[in-house]
Amino acid sequence: MKLDVLGMQAFVGVATCGSFARAADMLSVTSPALTRRLMNLESQLGVQLLERTTRSVSLTAAGAGLLPRARQLLDELAATFNEVSGTGLSQRGTVTIACVPTVGVQFLPALLREYSQHHPDNRVRILDHTSHGVAEAVQRREAEFGISLADVPFSDLESTPILKDRFALICRNDHPLARRRQLRWEELQPHALIVPGGGSSNRPALDAILGPLNAKLQALYEVQRSATAVGLVAEGLGAAIVPELSIQPGAYPQLRLVQLNTPVVERTFVLLRRKGSAMSPPARALHDLIVRRARRF
């Protein structure tokens, strides 16, 4: 049997108000429309629920038996709709995002902690990829959105800049450069360095801005991941050129971060999503939180 919600509302409204006119006002319908709804419900049930006279409305035995159940049913239905609304169940679920590894070190963890405080029931899946891999994951719908470098053009993706990250030097506190607060790039030439390799997302930015100077640096080790560079530096194998966001504050007390200037080499991170796509409410909540946090970062 099809559930006649409008008929139930009409029945409960009349039984509660004791009047068709007052019930019609409460439900914001006309009296004839309210009457039709009630008659349809009685026809569907095959019983009379109300006794009507010109002066009063009273419940039949069938109506008296139905009323508490009808009220409970409508209350439960209203509660369910509230849960599935913008602040309820529709906000719950699993969010899958893609990102380059650098943002997973410092930027993303603090942000996800804030997200989990507001959405404790949600799960977040993080796909670590290169910039190109992030874009492809979003394009293939493996992730609802991604955080990538602003150097991957995909015509079917829209890109929103969220933050910048500059390159710096990290070295152990016993390294000759550890006492410096900032350096010019040419001052690195006498020192053995750990640099981003050819397959790294970081390498194109260095090649484009530093040009010939980049070739003169003593690249003792080339790595694809900044985390690998940090580990090599911690073992005293040299100093490394890495993005500042790749260093978790306090994680390596024996390491020093030295700014690199003249020129300042920066990368821009962007949020990627498919053009015209509708994100799930859990993903939208995380996406918007990232935008807000990036403005304060």
Side-chain angles (χ1 to χ4, degrees):
M1 178 182 292
K2 181 180 178 181
L3 178 62
D4 186 355
V5 176
L6 295 179
M8 285 287 187
Q9 289 176 330
F11 166 63
V12 172
V14 174
T16 301
C17 297
S19 162
F20 274 75
R22 288 195 294 269
D25 287 340
M26 181 182 70
L27 295 174
S28 299
V29 297
T30 65
S31 291
L34 184 74
T35 300
R36 285 195 300 272
R37 292 180 182 181
L38 184 58
M39 292 178 64
N40 289 338
L41 177 65
E42 290 179 324
S43 175
Q44 185 181 34
L45 295 176
V47 295
Q48 184 177 346
L49 301 174
L50 297 169
E51 292 181 348
R52 311 159 181 84
T53 68
T54 56
R55 295 184 177 181
S56 65
V57 177
S58 60
L59 294 171
T60 64
L66 176 63
L67 182 59
R69 298 181 183 181
R71 282 175 171 159
Q72 181 181 1
L73 178 65
L74 291 176
D75 287 344
E76 291 177 352
L77 188 61
T80 301
F81 269 87
N82 287 334
E83 284 189 19
V84 181
S85 68
T87 57
L89 288 177
S90 66
Q91 292 286 341
R92 302 177 190 173
T94 298
V95 184
T96 301
I97 67 173
C99 71
V100 290
T102 301
V103 297
V105 176
Q106 185 180 153
F107 175 71
L108 198 56
L111 187 143
L112 289 178
R113 182 174 60 248
E114 181 176 347
Y115 180 76
S116 66
Q117 290 172 351
H118 294 286
H119 305 277
D121 297 322
N122 289 3
R123 296 175 63 248
V124 180
R125 295 177 63 241
I126 302 171
L127 309 178
D128 296 316
H129 289 303
T130 63
S131 290
H132 192 84
V134 169
E136 287 188 332
V138 176
Q139 191 178 46
R140 293 194 299 259
R141 302 178 185 271
E142 295 171 0
E144 293 201 62
F145 65 89
I147 306 176
S148 180
L149 294 173
D151 60 355
V152 183
F154 278 80
S155 60
D156 56 343
L157 300 180
E158 63 179 43
S159 172
T160 304
I162 53 171
L163 73 158
K164 291 184 178 293
D165 184 24
R166 63 186 293 173
F167 284 91
L169 184 80
I170 55 168
C171 57
R172 286 206 326 189
N173 51 20
D174 58 356
H175 192 275
L177 299 175
R179 295 180 179 273
R180 300 287 298 274
R181 298 186 64 180
Q182 55 184 338
L183 291 163
R184 298 188 308 276
W185 285 88
E186 58 263 27
E187 293 182 87
L188 299 181
Q189 293 185 44
H191 302 277
L193 298 173
I194 302 160
V195 301
S200 169
S201 300
N202 298 324
R203 187 59 176 262
L206 296 175
D207 289 339
I209 296 178
L210 297 181
L213 175 59
N214 197 31
K216 298 178 182 178
L217 301 179
Q218 296 188 46
L220 189 62
Y221 296 95
E222 288 191 1
V223 298
Q224 303 303 310
R225 305 273 183 170
S226 296
T228 304
V230 173
L232 296 179
V233 174
E235 287 298 319
L237 297 176
I241 299 170
V242 296
E244 289 187 358
L245 283 179
S246 65
I247 308 299
Q248 181 70 37
Y252 291 87
Q254 76 276 30
L255 300 188
R256 297 290 179 266
L257 184 70
V258 184
Q259 290 188 349
L260 291 170
N261 300 315
T262 319
V264 171
V265 182
E266 291 183 327
R267 312 176 306 164
T268 299
F269 288 102
V270 296
L271 278 174
L272 294 179
R273 54 173 297 192
R274 295 181 301 279
K275 290 182 179 178
S277 66
M279 289 187 289
S280 67
R284 168 59 69 181
L286 180 56
H287 178 279
D288 293 348
L289 176 61
I290 291 173
V291 173
R292 293 195 303 271
R293 275 294 298 264
R295 291 170 183 161
R296 309 195 305 262
F297 196 79

